[in-house]
């Protein structure tokens, strides 16, 4: 197999890794313009300064000694296999970089011989890229479950971000679908990465030229919808991971049928993309809005409402806290109002120092009034027609027909729509 054939196989095998923020796009080169993209193998991520960067997303190999039922690279799957030699992949990546096709690398791998052997090959690839070719750009590498502390330590000194995939949200599911991977084999490298980052901070405080260890932090990925865990279990788990392992991101990946195992949902099951989207919204609430997992969902209500974003859902279940007066509420309470994000909340706090804010002022501050209007007062008054009534607000939040150009609600919702019945 030549290098380009290998590239085709190994970028296709990497397509379900979601440590990037969008899927690849296919764009042909145009006369007079520089560069093009291919759908397989390119993904986008954001650097710490907010730049969107294009990464070559590839596996070192799709041979794997494990047989995880949800994975297309599992041992028992009959797919074309390939493996790069570290230098071959390093040269390919640097060649793409020099031609301006890519700005960085996302490297993962199936497991050959042992986790540490695979990590050794990955580290050698990155060593060549960093040390021999002097590449200083962004590299995201997946640590192999079961890898030793030493192997994780070496990888962390070469990559900007490291991730270990959690894969499934519970130990029972992992035992069932990925019996070769004990949960501890996933959590131990996570702990090692967390400790490495913490120790590295102290080293840099003492000696600012000390080599950096995973400066972009660590992340993980969970498959959603392949196993029966509730959204409550998933958001609680994500909260625990953020707190315990200082993760930068948890990625949720809607299960795409890739196998025929009786343990998995059948091939005609719809991909739960909306569920994935709602989980990302709930995750956002925990990371940027100060919500705890137990505020978003609870035992009586363990699933996110597919029709409403989780913040609106929370507000509807806590109407006793509303309306909130935007001219006096503190930042923490402003962040609880649907339609007001961290930027909007800060703008409100700054703007109301000069004058008392009206609904028109909020529109000028680009507050999303079609959501916020049901939950706020300005100078002690609600918007005309708005009222604190669960069914009324639910209908208006759901129905585009209930929105006027400035997001003001219709006077009366139809009676047949009831909370949770859409
Ligand atoms: S160890 Fe990774 S690559 Fe191998 S089968 Fe499991 S999920 Fe797939």
């Amino acid at each position: 197999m030549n290098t380009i054939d290998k590239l085709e196989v190994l970028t296709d095998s990497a397509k379900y890794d979601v440590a990037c923020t969008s899927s690849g796009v296919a764009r042909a080169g145009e006369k007079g313009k520089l560069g093009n993209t291919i759908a397989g193998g390119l993904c986008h991520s954001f650097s710490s300064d907010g730049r969107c960067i294009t990464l070559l997303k590839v596996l070192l190999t799709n041979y794997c000694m494990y047989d995880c039922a949800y994975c297309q690279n599992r041992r028992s799957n009959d797919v074309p296999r390939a493996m790069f030699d570290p230098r071959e992949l390093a040269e390919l990546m640097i060649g793409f970089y020099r031609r301006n096709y890519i700005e960085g690398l996302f490297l993962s791998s199936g497991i050959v011989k042992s986790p540490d052997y695979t990590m050794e090959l990955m580290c050698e690839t990155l060593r060549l890229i960093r040390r021999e070719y002097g590449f200083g750009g962004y590299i995201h590498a997946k640590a192999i479950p079961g890898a030793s502390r030493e192997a994780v330590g070496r990888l962390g000194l070469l990559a900007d971000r490291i991730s270990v995939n959690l894969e499934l949200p519970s130990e029972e599911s992992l035992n069932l679908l990925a019996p070769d991977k004990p949960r501890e084999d996933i959590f131990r490298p996570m702990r090692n990465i967390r400790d490495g980052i913490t120790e590295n901070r102290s080293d840099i405080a003492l000696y600012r030229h000390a080599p950096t260890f995973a400066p972009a932090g660590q992340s993980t990925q969970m498959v959603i919808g392949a196993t029966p865990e509730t959204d409550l279990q998933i958001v609680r788990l994500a909260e625990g991971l953020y707190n315990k392992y200082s993760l930068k991101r948890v990625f949720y990946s809607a299960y795409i049928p890739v196998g025929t195992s009786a343990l998995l949902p059948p091939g005609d099951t719809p991909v739960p993309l909306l569920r994935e989207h709602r989980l990302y919204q709930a995750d956002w609430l925990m990371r940027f809005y100060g919500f705890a997992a137990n505020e978003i969902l609870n035992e009586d209500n363990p699933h996110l409402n597919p029709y409403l974003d989780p913040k609106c859902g929370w507000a509807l279940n806590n109407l006793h806290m509303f309306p909130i007066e935007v001219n006096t509420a503190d930042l923490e309470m402003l962040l609880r109002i649907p339609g007001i994000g961290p930027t909007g909340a800060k703008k409100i706090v700054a703007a109301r120092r000069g004058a008392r804010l009206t609904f028109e002022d909020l529109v000028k501050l680009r507050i999303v009034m079609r959501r916020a209007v049901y939950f706020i007062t300005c100078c002690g008054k609600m918007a005309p027609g708005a009222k604190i009534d669960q069914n009324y607000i639910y209908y208006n939040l759901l129905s585009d027909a209930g929105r006027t150009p400035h997001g003001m609600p219709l006077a009366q919702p139809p009676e047949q729509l009831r909370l949770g019945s859409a």
Side-chain angles (χ1 to χ4, degrees):
M1 208 183 255
N2 67 32
T3 301
I4 293 302
D5 292 338
K6 287 185 190 177
L7 183 69
E8 206 168 294
V9 170
L10 293 170
T11 54
D12 186 65
S13 298
K15 69 184 172 198
Y16 296 120
D17 274 309
V18 292
C20 52
T21 48
S22 71
S23 56
V25 289
R27 195 183 314 115
E30 287 177 45
K31 200 173 174 193
K33 293 191 176 172
L34 188 65
N36 65 345
T37 66
I38 51 174
L42 290 187
C43 70
H44 298 91
S45 191
F46 288 98
S47 64
S48 53
D49 60 2
R51 273 182 318 120
C52 180
I53 49 178
T54 309
L55 306 179
L56 171 66
K57 187 163 74 155
V58 68
L59 300 189
L60 183 73
T61 178
N62 65 345
Y63 286 104
C64 191
M65 55 195 249
Y66 289 175
D67 205 32
C68 309
Y70 50 83
C71 176
Q72 71 160 359
N73 302 321
R74 66 190 181 281
R75 186 180 61 221
S76 60
N77 202 17
D78 184 19
V79 290
R81 304 279 174 175
M83 182 164 179
F84 278 121
D85 170 73
R87 185 167 291 279
E88 185 183 20
L89 180 54
E91 280 175 3
L92 187 75
M93 184 261 160
I94 291 297
F96 282 174
Y97 180 72
R98 285 191 178 136
R99 280 182 229 122
N100 206 21
Y101 294 169
I102 56 165
E103 291 161 284
L105 174 68
F106 173 90
L107 180 64
S108 183
S109 183
I111 306 176
V112 278
K113 288 193 187 172
S114 71
D116 270 9
Y117 178 78
T118 311
M119 287 281 279
E120 205 46 59
L121 295 178
M122 292 174 74
C123 286
E124 176 58 11
T125 309
L126 299 192
R127 187 194 69 75
L128 290 168
I129 290 171
R130 287 284 197 223
R131 311 273 185 259
E132 212 164 285
Y133 294 101
F135 178 70
Y138 185 81
I139 295 178
H140 179 163
K142 288 264 161 130
I144 302 295
S148 66
R149 185 186 176 91
E150 293 69 34
V152 170
R154 280 196 294 280
L155 192 71
L157 292 173
L158 294 163
D160 293 285
R161 172 168 287 187
I162 317 186
S163 48
V164 191
N165 282 358
L166 189 58
E167 308 287 17
L168 295 170
S170 74
E171 187 161 12
E172 300 77 57
S173 295
L174 204 59
N175 290 342
L176 199 64
L177 296 177
D180 305 307
K181 279 199 287 198
R183 205 162 157 87
E184 182 53 21
D185 275 8
I186 296 169
F187 284 127
R188 196 180 54 249
M190 269 190 193
R191 269 198 305 278
N192 293 336
I193 297 167
R194 177 201 60 196
D195 295 347
I197 292 170
T198 310
E199 284 163 22
N200 188 240
R201 277 201 204 110
S202 318
D203 292 348
I204 289 173
L206 285 175
Y207 174 57
R208 71 190 170 92
H209 293 300
T212 52
F213 182 93
Q218 69 164 321
S219 59
T220 192
Q221 175 184 344
M222 273 188 256
V223 179
I224 302 303
T227 47
E229 289 80 14
T230 63
D231 291 341
L232 173 63
Q233 285 172 283
I234 293 167
V235 294
R236 275 186 184 158
L237 175 62
E239 182 181 56
L241 291 170
Y242 283 125
N243 293 340
K244 197 163 176 197
Y245 298 102
S246 312
L247 293 192
K248 286 278 185 208
R249 286 294 299 271
V250 175
F251 291 95
Y252 308 93
S253 172
Y255 172 68
I256 297 170
V258 290
T260 51
S261 167
L263 300 169
L264 290 165
D268 53 3
T269 307
V271 179
L273 285 175
L274 183 56
R275 187 177 177 202
E276 177 190 293
H277 177 62
R278 294 289 178 227
L279 283 166
Y280 273 117
Q281 290 178 317
D283 186 275
W284 208 258
L285 291 185
M286 293 192 289
R287 289 191 298 136
F288 299 110
Y289 290 76
F291 280 80
N294 287 340
E295 289 182 284
I296 300 168
L297 291 168
N298 54 51
E299 304 292 350
D300 297 332
N301 187 18
H303 286 288
L304 294 165
N305 184 333
Y307 303 103
L308 271 189
D309 72 72
K311 195 176 177 192
C312 287
W314 173 84
L316 276 172
N317 288 328
N318 291 277
L319 279 180
H320 61 279
M321 298 174 76
F322 296 98
I324 289 173
E325 172 55 51
V326 290
N327 284 294
T328 53
D330 58 23
L331 191 69
E332 197 184 328
M333 279 316 293
L334 288 174
L335 281 172
R336 299 254 154 174
I337 301 170
I340 299 182
T343 306
K346 282 184 199 145
K347 279 190 200 166
I348 288 173
V349 171
R352 72 190 184 189
R353 286 194 197 112
R356 293 186 56 82
L357 300 180
T358 62
F359 289 104
E360 287 69 32
D361 294 329
L362 296 181
V363 173
K364 284 183 204 149
L365 292 176
R366 295 182 172 271
I367 301 303
V368 185
M369 291 301 282
R370 66 174 185 271
R371 287 202 281 277
V373 74
Y374 309 103
F375 303 98
I376 55 173
T377 56
C378 283
C379 306
K381 291 195 180 130
M382 291 194 79
K387 60 181 174 182
I388 296 293
D389 176 281
Q390 208 177 45
N391 285 321
Y392 168 82
I393 298 174
Y394 186 62
Y395 161 73
N396 279 288
L397 286 172
L398 288 184
S399 169
D400 277 334
R403 293 172 194 157
T404 67
H406 293 292
M408 297 300 165
L410 284 179
Q412 197 63 46
E415 283 304 313
Q416 67 270 24
L417 278 168
R418 289 283 172 243
L419 190 62
S421 67

